[in-house]
Amino acid sequence: MISFTYHQVCEQFQGKLTAQGKLLLQDTLPIAEHNPNKPDLKFKGRRIFLFEQIIIFSEVIESKNPLTPDHYVFKHAIKVSPRLCQLRFKL
């Protein structure tokens, strides 16, 4: 079961999350940041939310209070093809 509340996602998202369809999957994805002046890659964790119509990439802002949930700042979105929703995920 996916634990999720719409107000946690995403500060600065310019749309209605409820219009993006059902939330299918959420997970953390390591994203590499390339700096041409440094040979090493720097990785950041991005929280991704796969809805029926969109994938949202967000930055996790961890709560300092254990009673308050983390929240997420919108970074990028990709529209999803309806055919993608026909895929079955095997976990």
Side-chain angles (χ1 to χ4, degrees):
M1 180 166 179
I2 297 174
S3 171
F4 174 78
T5 57
Y6 285 101
H7 71 275
Q8 287 177 271
V9 179
C10 277
E11 294 177 15
Q12 303 170 356
F13 178 67
Q14 300 294 314
K16 290 188 176 186
L17 289 174
T18 54
Q20 305 307 320
K22 182 178 166 186
L23 178 65
L24 303 173
L25 182 70
Q26 66 174 316
D27 206 346
T28 302
L29 180 69
I31 302 291
E33 221 178 59
H34 175 68
N35 183 338
N37 300 325
K38 296 181 181 178
D40 295 333
L41 293 176
K42 181 179 176 184
F43 286 89
K44 292 184 174 182
R46 290 285 186 248
R47 192 71 178 173
I48 60 166
F49 298 89
L50 172 62
F51 290 89
E52 291 174 323
Q53 297 179 23
I54 198 168
I55 300 172
I56 295 177
F57 295 82
S58 63
E59 179 181 354
V60 179
I61 306 298
E62 293 181 5
S63 173
K64 294 177 182 168
N65 180 347
L67 301 176
T68 306
D70 296 341
H71 67 279
Y72 307 95
V73 177
F74 172 79
K75 293 296 181 184
H76 191 72
I78 300 172
K79 291 284 185 184
V80 176
S81 164
R83 291 180 49 103
L84 179 63
C85 295
Q86 295 173 357
L87 295 176
R88 295 187 184 193
F89 296 97
K90 193 171 188 180
L91 304 176

